[in-house]
Amino acid sequence: MSTVTKQPRKAEKAEEKAPATVFEPSILAFACNWCSYAGADLAGVSRLQYPPNVKLIRVMCSGRVSPIFVLEAFKKGADGVIITGCHIGDCHYQDGNVKAETMFKKLAEVLRVLGVEPERLRLEWISASEGQRFATIMTEFTEKVRKLGPLLSPEQIKAQETGPAESSDLKELVRETGVYQCIECGKCTGGCLMARFNPQVSPRLAMKNFFVSYFSHKQPLKLLSMDEVWYCLTCETCHYHCPAGVDFAKFIVWLRSEAIKLGKTGTPTHGGVMHAMMEFQALGLKQNRLDWVDSSAQVDEKSDTMYYVGCLPYFEPIFTETGAHPLAMARNTLKILNALGIKPSVYEGEVCCGHDLYWTGNIEGFKKLAALNLENIQKTGVKRIIFSCPECFYTYKILYPQFFKTVEVETVHMMQLLDEKIKKGELKLGRLEGKFTFQDPCRLGRLLAIYDEPRRVLKSVKGLDLQCMEEIRKESICCGSTHWVSCSSYTKQLQKYRLGQAVDTGASTLLTACPKCQIHLSCAAKDLKTKMKIQDYTEIIVQAMEQA
Amino acid sequence: MAACSDHPNIECLTYSAVREVSGNAGDFTVTVAKRPRYINESLCTGCGECTEKCPGKVPDEFNLGLAKRKSIFFHFAQAVPRIPVIDPTACLMLTKGKCGVCQKKCGAGAIDFKQTEQLVKARVGTIVVATGFDIYDASLATEYGFGRIKNVLSSLQYERLISASGPSGGHLNKPSDGKPAHKIAYVLCVGSRDITSNNYCSALCCMYAAKDAMLAREHDAGSESFVFYTDTRCSGKGFWQYFEKARSEYGVNFIRGRVSRITEDHSGNPVMWYEDTKQRRAKTLTADMVILANAIVPAFGTDKLAAMLGIELDKFGFIATNSFSPTDTNRDGIFVAGCVGGPRDIAEAVAHASAAAARAAETVTREAAVPAIGNRG
Ligand code: SF4
Ligand code: SF4
Ligand code: SF4
Ligand code: SF4
Ligand code: SF4
């Protein structure tokens, strides 16, 4: 069937004579079974020539091509990826190609921000009768990519390989997480936000199963189902209520790193694209992550204060349809900082903080990103980093020092800064009528005990009526996932429950302070068609600033 | 208490606080501040006329806020001595300079708004500290909603509710709407055996919860009782049988699992979230009323008192004693009795107090020239 291998490898011959003059790009093409693959076949039987660089993968429908396929292909050395399918209206599954088109647009934007030239990704509709078209497109695409040169160097590709799995020090883990102290009281399970909806969940039992697995079978995961390892939201509710101080979420991170060694990953949300995108940032491509900065915003490259933006430029294209606008948080943060007289630097070389990789047990991936960020701190010489995202803040403040002993930079979250400046009267806020309620983010709240600052900040807006939901502060309910794993009908029920509590307060807007809370709750609000408006708190602050 | 105050060799200084202690075993000088009651104790007959018409309305400490008291009041019905006290933070005369109703009512002319604190010095041979305990402030365990959810009560509030002389005449009425509670849950280990609050077992709560649950069933045979426990700690002769009696004869439901969280449903009923560890399931139970078994914690001011006495505290803040001399502090001549040295139930506290009294007597008889108690100056 393959039309590729029959081709004489002209380029190789050329190489023999004058090595390294012609670059042979590696092209991956996805072709749908019904149209494009048949088109390729036609090209073959018609003896139409097209470059042998193209490696063809047949999928049942272009809609099956998950963004992770493309990201993984680029990571593993593809220089160009082309997705082909039936013409719109011809899809054998009605609208698979429409889905492919939607996916493609988001993916193209993500890749652009990641620093992959847009020309390296292409989407084409090729029918079964368009053999010639297939050959032409492939030739043209290959030539275009050839001109661009390689995406990753062989070193960059090699650097992704992880060495042999290190054996973890179990004794150390047991001591650090305190799992041995468990008195089996069940308080963790009873309070677990997942256990409320998923009757299979019991952190207490998971620990018990682990001990029996480990001590009777010498295999830590033997008696654990993968669900048990991957359902956890790592919201830390159990930890902060455990009478024995067991840090179950940390233990889960360890279990996950063990599971990954066995090749058993969980069910990442969004087809795994989030984690792949984060790992991609560690490859060292020049990203385009600052396009969002308005020309009116005042930034200063030489400032010793940096605003760390995190993954907001990536979340923006992926989640627009939920109604969430992650980048608005970044723009508003800059506006607020400028109003406070702070001209921060925003750094192009910034990479993802690694939070999500850490909590999914991908410790190596986390460390790579962390090392890059720490290198940046040294390179730029910043003294203070301001965060708008609670997860980035937590990662810098708590996780980095755990892995890399010296992190000499002051870390400040916007809520702390705002609280301080408002107290001093340095930020003028006007009047804003309305009933609001506030969602404590896990990382800012439970994990860092920043509960009062957001409330003081919001209450300083005159006219703003802040209502309390039923479970707040230490008992706050997680938005459904902190690290893009295991979004399920259970997490949807959790979100529905939370939105119900917000509705019960009589508020019309639920204010969030974490991009993930905003995304997840907006997604749920849309699914459930509730009237509750989900808004990032920075928007309210900027509005109040404009009223002053 | 009455027997104690009537004893010819005992002088009781109530409503007082220790200010200074000096000297050594056999010869201590204790300075005690007698706080002003604003009542001339030698004139007062304890008739209670004064309390009748006082306009004050203050949450009653003895009933843990479940009832109101006047600004001039007896701490509780059996208070010794039977002399009222004026609350200077609430009394209109003392705060605003007008009223004086009680003064008009008092036939004995005992009300004295000019009274001030008096320092009393006592030379004593030995000291027994028996200042008791406080209950853990359950509002600190935010997951249980105490202070926010009306029908979540502390164990002491429950004792007052079920007491025939209590604010509801012994009826278990829900604070939210005053209607009787039929489904009552008892949540154990609140603030005990918990590294985030008090990392020790309070020793009494398992047993009194069983008692409380039985009382509720005796009071209303149609009621249901649920006790959520971590472990049943029923150590002592007959204790386990008592616990079993609650289960078999009184039909009390015991559920193994520490309650994780209490929320309030739309009709004001507390909802408990927990894992039934025997059935291995996360569950909820909605009750009419929830009683929290608050931990026993060192009484407020124990640290200050210990500093004055020069005695050590243990890591929990109780007065430190040694397992082999459970009544002795690190200072000769100073002993402890009861819960100030750690949680213990009534029977144990009585035995402990007897032992402390014996140890104290030993000290005084050992030192020959000990001034009689009460010999001031
Ligand atoms: S809450 Fe803590 S002590 Fe209780 S079962 Fe869970 S991990 Fe064990
Ligand atoms: S971290 Fe959250 S989701 Fe995970 S077991 Fe604990 S309470 Fe449940
Ligand atoms: S102060 Fe007067 S009225 Fe009040 S109890 Fe004493 S004697 Fe009676
Ligand atoms: S003077 Fe004070 S204590 Fe007396 S009746 Fe008035 S308010 Fe009550
Ligand atoms: S006596 Fe029972 S309820 Fe009280 S702290 Fe100990 S185990 Fe918990």
Side-chain angles (χ1 to χ4, degrees):
Chain A
M1 280 293 258
S2 172
T3 49
V4 179
T5 47
K6 284 178 207 156
Q7 305 283 334
R9 301 216 56 162
K10 277 186 207 152
E12 268 171 29
K13 280 182 194 160
E15 245 174 56
E16 278 163 25
K17 279 177 215 151
T21 44
V22 188
F23 161 61
E24 287 302 336
S26 180
I27 307 282
L28 192 68
F30 292 98
C32 89
N33 180 57
W34 307 103
C35 298
S36 314
Y37 196 79
D41 232 7
L42 182 62
V45 292
S46 319
R47 303 195 149 267
L48 299 172
Q49 298 287 313
Y50 70 93
N53 307 55
V54 179
K55 293 161 186 97
L56 206 56
I57 292 182
R58 178 167 56 158
V59 286
M60 286 312 281
C61 174
S62 55
R64 173 64 185 95
V65 180
S66 159
I68 181 86
F69 297 174
V70 178
L71 274 171
E72 278 299 312
F74 281 127
K75 268 170 68 189
K76 299 258 153 71
D79 300 299
V81 176
I82 177 162
I83 302 161
T84 59
C86 309
H87 286 273
I88 298 293
D90 288 351
C91 176
H92 286 231
Y93 308 100
Q94 284 190 341
D95 57 359
N97 48 7
V98 178
K99 288 200 180 98
E101 199 170 24
T102 318
M103 182 283 288
F104 180 84
K105 277 185 197 145
K106 290 186 187 182
L107 179 63
E109 177 57 15
V110 169
L111 283 169
R112 190 189 66 77
V113 182
L114 279 171
V116 177
E117 296 89 339
E119 294 85 3
R120 293 189 191 270
L121 179 68
R122 196 153 158 185
L123 176 70
E124 288 293 348
W125 306 138
I126 302 169
S127 78
S129 59
E130 294 175 322
Q132 182 60 56
R133 181 172 153 79
F134 182 88
T136 316
I137 288 177
M138 291 304 155
T139 313
E140 191 196 308
F141 185 57
T142 308
E143 288 320 309
K144 214 173 223 158
V145 176
R146 194 191 304 279
K147 277 205 198 89
L148 287 172
L151 175 68
L152 299 178
S153 66
E155 294 77 45
Q156 279 171 315
I157 298 168
K158 194 147 193 313
Q160 294 175 51
E161 287 168 16
T162 43
E166 284 173 41
S167 58
S168 332
D169 184 353
L170 187 78
K171 282 201 192 108
E172 189 60 29
L173 169 93
V174 165
R175 203 174 18 246
E176 259 178 44
T177 59
V179 279
Y180 241 30
Q181 313 299 324
C182 172
I183 54 170
E184 292 214 37
C185 66
K187 199 177 179 193
C188 48
T189 310
C192 172
L193 304 176
M194 285 310 280
R196 283 193 187 185
F197 304 103
N198 181 350
Q200 305 302 323
V201 164
S202 169
R204 181 184 65 86
L205 273 182
M207 274 182 295
K208 215 174 168 176
N209 287 342
F210 160 77
F211 279 123
V212 179
S213 305
Y214 187 77
F215 291 110
S216 314
H217 305 282
K218 296 281 166 254
Q219 292 168 26
L221 294 170
K222 171 135 180 157
L223 298 178
L224 286 157
S225 72
M226 277 306 116
D227 278 354
E228 267 180 300
V229 176
W230 291 100
Y231 72 79
C232 173
L233 309 170
T234 72
C235 68
E236 296 259 30
T237 303
C238 49
H239 175 199
Y240 287 92
H241 290 95
C242 169
V246 174
D247 190 346
F248 181 76
K250 194 166 192 183
F251 172 69
I252 269 292
V253 166
W254 181 81
L255 281 187
R256 287 174 178 180
S257 69
E258 287 297 300
I260 290 175
K261 284 178 199 163
L262 302 175
K264 294 178 177 173
T265 55
T267 316
T269 57
H270 312 282
V273 68
M274 309 306 276
H275 303 126
M277 167 274 278
M278 289 161 182
E279 283 177 329
F280 212 104
Q281 291 181 49
L283 296 179
L285 292 188
K286 189 178 174 304
Q287 302 170 75
N288 295 306
R289 53 155 56 237
L290 294 182
D291 303 356
W292 57 272
V293 182
D294 296 331
S295 52
S296 58
Q298 298 172 305
V299 288
D300 173 9
E301 261 179 52
K302 295 200 182 60
S303 171
D304 57 7
T305 297
M306 183 195 275
Y307 166 40
Y308 182 88
V309 185
C311 287
L312 299 177
Y314 294 102
F315 293 167
E316 180 74 21
I318 303 178
F319 295 108
T320 30
E321 68 206 30
T322 63
H325 293 292
L327 265 184
M329 184 183 214
R331 290 199 185 94
N332 291 332
T333 302
L334 266 190
K335 269 187 207 156
I336 299 170
L337 288 175
N338 287 168
L340 288 169
I342 301 173
K343 276 193 234 168
S345 64
V346 275
Y347 191 53
E348 187 123 57
E350 171 187 319
V351 294
C352 162
C353 66
H355 173 277
D356 299 352
L357 297 186
Y358 171 82
W359 291 100
T360 35
N362 182 352
I363 307 294
E364 287 310 312
F366 159 75
K367 282 204 224 158
K368 272 185 202 161
L369 289 167
L372 283 172
N373 278 321
L374 292 174
E375 212 179 287
N376 286 343
I377 293 178
Q378 290 219 313
K379 234 190 281 173
T380 54
V382 286
K383 299 276 171 313
R384 176 169 70 153
I385 307 183
I386 296 175
F387 297 85
S388 54
C389 171
E391 301 191 332
C392 303
F393 179 53
Y394 172 82
T395 308
Y396 267 71
K397 201 176 167 63
I398 308 292
L399 293 181
Y400 284 6
Q402 275 174 22
F403 286 86
F404 306 86
K405 293 293 173 235
T406 49
V407 184
E408 277 157 18
V409 69
E410 186 193 348
T411 49
V412 189
H413 189 264
M414 271 306 276
M415 280 294 189
Q416 296 173 311
L417 187 78
L418 275 171
D419 183 40
E420 182 200 316
K421 296 289 180 188
I422 291 172
K423 253 191 227 156
K424 286 192 195 152
E426 289 176 27
L427 187 69
K428 295 272 161 300
L429 295 176
R431 226 186 145 71
L432 203 87
E433 300 291 337
K435 242 187 186 182
F436 295 85
T437 184
F438 176 71
Q439 161 82 359
D440 285 289
C442 302
R443 269 53 185 158
L444 206 58
R446 251 187 309 275
L447 275 69
L448 291 167
I450 299 182
Y451 299 120
D452 295 326
E453 288 86 340
R455 289 170 172 82
R456 274 200 296 265
V457 166
L458 293 173
K459 280 182 185 160
S460 66
V461 178
K462 280 172 236 86
L464 189 150
D465 177 2
L466 190 66
Q467 297 287 323
C468 290
M469 285 187 273
E470 169 77 19
E471 289 162 281
I472 52 166
R473 297 170 71 100
K474 203 165 149 196
E475 285 78 46
S476 179
I477 290 185
C478 172
C479 69
S481 176
T482 61
H483 51 284
W484 312 113
V485 171
S486 301
C487 175
S488 63
S489 61
Y490 302 121
T491 47
K492 272 280 166 299
Q493 284 178 62
L494 183 72
Q495 290 156 351
K496 182 177 172 193
Y497 185 86
R498 188 52 160 176
L499 288 173
Q501 289 183 330
V503 170
D504 284 348
T505 63
S508 55
T509 309
L510 172 62
L511 294 177
T512 57
C514 169
K516 275 182 205 153
C517 294
Q518 194 201 8
I519 291 165
H520 291 136
L521 293 171
S522 298
C523 171
K526 198 167 160 245
D527 278 3
L528 298 165
K529 300 190 175 65
T530 80
K531 291 234 170 61
M532 183 58 60
K533 201 170 149 199
I534 317 290
Q535 217 173 15
D536 184 68
Y537 83 100
T538 54
E539 247 161 86
I540 295 300
I541 301 295
V542 167
Q543 277 175 30
M545 267 162 42
E546 281 159 5
Q547 297 300 316
Chain B
M1 196 61 192
C4 190
S5 82
D6 289 347
H7 195 284
N9 286 353
I10 299 177
E11 184 182 347
C12 277
L13 298 176
T14 57
Y15 207 52
S16 305
V18 176
R19 282 290 149 80
E20 204 191 320
V21 181
S22 59
N24 282 310
D27 188 12
F28 288 109
T29 304
V30 183
T31 313
V32 178
K34 283 189 71 182
R35 289 153 69 195
R37 290 170 183 271
Y38 304 101
I39 311 285
N40 185 328
E41 291 173 23
S42 48
L43 295 179
C44 174
T45 61
C47 65
E49 285 291 326
C50 52
T51 63
E52 302 282 311
K53 288 278 179 322
C54 170
K57 260 197 169 160
V58 192
D60 181 0
E61 295 88 352
F62 182 69
N63 283 311
L64 297 118
L66 292 172
K68 293 270 193 311
R69 62 159 170 81
K70 302 289 177 72
S71 300
I72 181 165
F73 66 108
F74 293 99
H75 272 292
F76 53 99
Q78 295 82 18
V80 172
R82 193 174 158 74
I83 297 171
V85 172
I86 294 181
D87 174 352
T89 61
C91 164
L92 294 175
M93 192 68 184
L94 290 171
T95 54
K96 300 209 174 78
K98 50 187 173 212
C99 180
V101 170
C102 52
Q103 203 164 28
K104 286 190 204 103
K105 286 277 159 189
C106 176
I111 310 282
D112 174 9
F113 293 114
K114 300 233 157 43
Q115 218 173 48
T116 52
E117 183 179 283
Q118 261 185 297
L119 290 183
V120 176
K121 276 199 168 129
R123 282 186 67 206
V124 297
T126 176
I127 299 170
V128 177
V129 185
T131 46
F133 65 94
D134 277 342
I135 61 166
Y136 171 71
D137 175 4
S139 65
L140 297 173
T142 47
E143 65 270 32
Y144 294 144
F146 180 76
R148 181 172 59 85
I149 305 172
K150 284 208 181 90
N151 294 336
V152 174
L153 301 176
S154 73
S155 50
L156 270 186
Q157 284 180 319
Y158 178 83
E159 291 287 344
R160 293 313 300 147
L161 273 190
I162 200 136
S163 161
S165 62
S168 59
H171 296 291
L172 289 173
N173 296 337
K174 293 190 278 179
S176 65
D177 55 8
K179 294 203 182 107
H182 295 297
K183 198 169 174 186
I184 304 166
Y186 305 83
V187 173
L188 303 196
C189 298
V190 176
S192 303
R193 303 182 62 193
D194 186 336
I195 62 153
T196 65
S197 47
N198 304 297
N199 199 9
Y200 53 81
C201 171
S202 288
L204 343 167
C205 358
C206 281
M207 292 316 295
Y208 76 59
K211 178 204 77 176
D212 285 350
M214 286 196 272
L215 279 182
R217 300 269 296 154
E218 269 171 14
H219 183 80
D220 167 9
S223 72
E224 286 180 279
S225 295
F226 299 85
V227 178
F228 293 90
Y229 65 96
T230 312
D231 305 295
T232 43
R233 295 212 159 161
C234 317
S235 54
K237 194 170 67 179
F239 282 31
W240 177 248
Q241 285 75 359
Y242 186 81
F243 211 80
E244 265 309 303
K245 189 165 99 184
R247 197 194 307 266
S248 53
E249 288 177 30
Y250 285 79
V252 174
N253 301 291
F254 287 96
I255 300 170
R256 190 188 178 279
R258 197 184 278 218
V259 170
S260 308
R261 187 174 289 199
I262 303 176
T263 56
E264 192 176 26
D265 72 7
H266 288 161
S267 30
N269 294 325
V271 181
M272 274 152 295
W273 301 80
Y274 65 99
E275 181 188 14
D276 186 325
T277 57
K278 289 192 173 165
Q279 294 183 7
R280 304 179 160 200
R281 273 278 182 281
K283 291 181 171 180
T284 58
L285 179 91
T286 306
D288 295 337
M289 197 191 263
V290 174
I291 314 303
L292 306 178
N294 309 59
I296 302 275
V297 295
F300 178 76
T302 302
D303 48 349
K304 274 197 194 146
L305 180 64
M308 259 188 284
L309 290 165
I311 55 178
E312 279 165 14
L313 298 176
D314 62 19
K315 62 178 171 186
F316 305 120
F318 292 107
I319 289 172
T321 53
N322 181 310
S323 303
F324 294 104
S325 46
T327 57
D328 294 12
T329 65
N330 60 312
R331 267 195 82 185
D332 214 15
I334 304 184
F335 305 96
V336 288
C339 284
V340 73
R344 35 178 70 86
D345 68 12
I346 298 174
E348 263 188 68
V350 169
H352 196 224
S354 305
R359 292 283 290 140
E362 226 174 42
T363 317
V364 218
T365 45
R366 194 177 61 206
E367 311 292 334
V370 175
I373 294 166
N375 187 358
R376 290 168 200 164

